């Protein structure tokens, strides 16, 4: 991460030959989609030796750390003084790096999942601690809302069963439930308690903004930061990779644990991204023991239980737990 920070925070923003990439704001979808777009821009900036700066407006700038010590004004002044139109390049929707398969050359040896985690963690780093240490808690993220158009709904009982399997040594556990449909998910979770006799789950729910989709572009910064904080402090954290928001929360947790040299665990009830051809699999040769794979057959199955029950074949979808 120090390499990334040195790139984005140069000694001077006015050095001769300094070039910039100006990343557009992104409000066409939710917070997680914006992170994917900006991470693609960051790949482009690193590979072209440009400092990535934000456009005049950056949605959710109130809670995220600055991406650079340079600004768009610095970039414009550099272009004006050099009279070189190539000093500035814009990153707009549709950049090839958006797909996630393109890596920064400087980090290529660390693998796709290492960049997946650290790219998100750099961009979404909160300016302050929104959630204090809550002691011995686990975190569970369940995304519903408009996500049902992209991926099969995963019943909460599967998340709870996977968490229970990951916590064999605990008799009582508090689970922080983070969701864009908290009341519906809470009711479903409470109905699942009976099948989870070895672990007691106390569901704590954050309040969603009144009358708004929790992770859409107009959602209050503090609500997003608070939910990310709840995901970051849990041990373990349980989620599905089908949700962008969960991916960012997971990345912040992994990066924070690695910085602090804390052990940690991630429980993935669904290890595929968007139920598409991106899948996380075990790979002992990588820093975290797992790696993203591409080119897998796409499985658009509306019945998650059937995908999970399948013992083999391209749509077999078993949970994945990994630790560090």
């Amino acid at each position: 991460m120090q390499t990334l920070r040195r790139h984005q925070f140069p000694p001077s923003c006015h050095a001769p030959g300094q070039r910039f990439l100006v990343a557009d704001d992104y409000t066409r979808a939710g917070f997680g989609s914006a992170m994917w777009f900006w991470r693609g821009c960051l790949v482009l900036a690193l590979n072209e030796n440009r400092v990535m700066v934000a456009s005049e407006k950056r949605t959710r700038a109130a809670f995220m750390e600055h991406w650079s010590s340079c600004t768009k004004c610095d970039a414009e002044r550099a272009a004006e003084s050099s009279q070189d139109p190539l000093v500035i390049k814009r990153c707009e929707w549709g950049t090839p790096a958006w797909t996630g398969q393109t890596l920064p050359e400087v980090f290529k040896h660390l693998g796709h999942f290492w960049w997946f985690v650290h790219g998100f963690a750099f961009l979404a780093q909160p300016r302050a601690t929104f959630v204090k240490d809550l002691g011995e808690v686990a975190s569970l993220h369940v995304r519903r809302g408009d996500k049902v158009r992209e991926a099969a709904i995963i019943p909460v009982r599967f998340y709870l069963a996977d968490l229970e399997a990951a916590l064999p040594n605990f008799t009582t556990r508090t689970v922080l439930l983070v969701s864009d449909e908290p009341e519906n998910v809470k009711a479903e979770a409470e109905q699942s308690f009976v099948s989870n006799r070895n672990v007691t789950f106390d569901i704590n729910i954050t309040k969603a903004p009144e009358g708004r989709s929790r992770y859409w572009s107009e959602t209050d910064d503090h609500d997003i930061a608070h939910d990310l904080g709840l995901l970051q402090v849990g041990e373990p954290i349980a989620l599905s990779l089908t949700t962008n928001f969960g991916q960012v929360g997971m990345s912040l947790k992994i990066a924070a644990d690695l910085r602090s040299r804390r052990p940690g665990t991630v429980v993935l009830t669904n290890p595929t991204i968007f139920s598409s051809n991106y899948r996380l699999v075990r790979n002992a040769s990588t820093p975290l023991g797992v790696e993203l794979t591409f080119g897998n057959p796409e499985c658009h199955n509306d019945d998650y239980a059937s995908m999970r029950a399948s013992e083999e074949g391209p749509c077999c979808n078993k949970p994945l737990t990994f630790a560090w």
Side-chain angles (χ1 to χ4, degrees):
M1 288 296 285
Q2 290 302 315
T3 301
L4 180 53
R5 288 196 63 82
R6 283 195 298 270
H7 177 89
Q8 285 294 110
F9 292 80
S12 172
C13 297
H14 309 289
Q18 183 71 66
R19 300 193 303 169
F20 299 89
L21 182 130
V22 179
D24 280 358
D25 193 21
Y26 183 89
T27 58
R28 67 173 62 215
F31 171 80
S33 294
M35 288 293 110
W36 269 79
F37 167 66
W38 286 323
R39 191 184 57 178
C41 293
L42 188 55
V43 171
L44 194 60
L46 287 165
N47 285 343
E48 295 189 4
N49 195 27
R50 296 175 181 272
V51 174
M52 186 177 99
V53 298
S55 60
E56 297 96 333
K57 177 186 176 184
R58 186 183 66 164
T59 302
R60 306 175 191 88
F63 87 86
M64 292 189 296
E65 286 280 12
H66 291 295
W67 295 339
S68 176
S69 52
C70 305
T71 66
K72 185 184 178 185
C73 290
D74 292 324
E76 292 173 339
R77 282 196 292 268
E80 184 178 356
S81 62
S82 68
Q83 297 296 306
D84 182 0
L86 298 180
V87 166
I88 294 181
K89 183 174 184 175
R90 291 190 71 98
C91 184
E92 302 171 317
W93 171 256
T95 172
W98 156 264
T99 63
Q101 295 190 39
T102 304
L103 288 173
E105 289 297 323
V106 67
F107 299 130
K108 205 168 187 177
H109 64 290
L110 295 169
H112 284 276
F113 190 63
W114 187 95
W115 172 247
F116 183 93
V117 166
H118 287 85
F120 277 149
F122 174 80
L123 292 169
Q125 187 62 46
R127 290 186 181 179
T129 301
F130 282 78
V131 176
K132 296 180 180 180
D133 185 4
L134 298 176
E136 194 175 89
V137 297
S139 295
L140 169 59
H141 181 250
V142 180
R143 176 78 156 87
R144 293 289 170 81
D146 59 335
K147 180 56 65 176
V148 299
R149 298 198 303 264
E150 296 179 339
I153 292 178
I154 302 177
V156 176
R157 69 179 187 275
F158 289 115
Y159 291 102
L160 298 183
D162 294 341
L163 261 178
E164 183 177 3
L167 304 173
N169 298 324
F170 292 95
T171 56
T172 303
R173 191 74 175 194
T174 297
V175 177
L176 305 174
L177 176 62
V178 178
S179 177
D180 54 339
E181 292 187 3
E183 295 304 327
N184 292 338
V185 171
K186 177 185 178 183
E188 190 180 337
E190 289 173 341
Q191 292 172 4
S192 302
F193 283 171
V194 67
S195 63
N196 292 272
R197 299 183 183 277
N198 296 334
V199 179
T200 299
F201 290 90
D202 296 323
I203 304 296
N204 293 295
I205 293 184
T206 57
K207 186 177 184 301
E210 188 68 29
R212 291 183 292 177
S213 173
R214 189 167 185 81
Y215 304 137
W216 202 252
S217 56
E218 73 271 17
T219 305
D220 184 79
D221 287 350
H222 186 276
D223 292 300
I224 290 177
H226 188 254
D227 276 11
L228 290 175
L230 290 177
L231 295 178
Q232 188 172 336
V233 300
E235 175 51 38
I237 178 177
L239 68 148
S240 165
L241 277 189
T242 55
T243 157
N244 293 335
F245 192 94
Q247 295 164 17
V248 176
M250 174 194 70
S251 298
L252 286 168
K253 172 189 167 48
I254 294 174
D257 284 355
L258 292 177
R259 283 196 306 272
S260 302
R261 299 186 177 181
R262 291 191 304 261
T265 306
V266 171
V267 180
L268 294 175
T269 294
N270 188 342
T272 61
I273 297 179
F274 305 133
S275 292
S276 70
N277 62 357
Y278 295 15
R279 181 174 296 179
L280 194 67
V281 300
R282 298 196 186 282
N283 186 328
S285 67
T286 63
L288 289 167
V290 289
E291 180 60 305
L292 281 173
T293 60
F294 306 95
N296 302 296
E298 295 194 17
C299 299
H300 297 288
N301 191 332
D302 291 333
D303 183 2
Y304 172 78
S306 297
M307 295 170 66
R308 183 175 173 118
S310 176
E311 292 298 330
E312 58 183 15
C315 293
C316 174
N317 207 339
K318 298 296 184 184
L320 174 68
T321 298
F322 65 96
W324 52 91

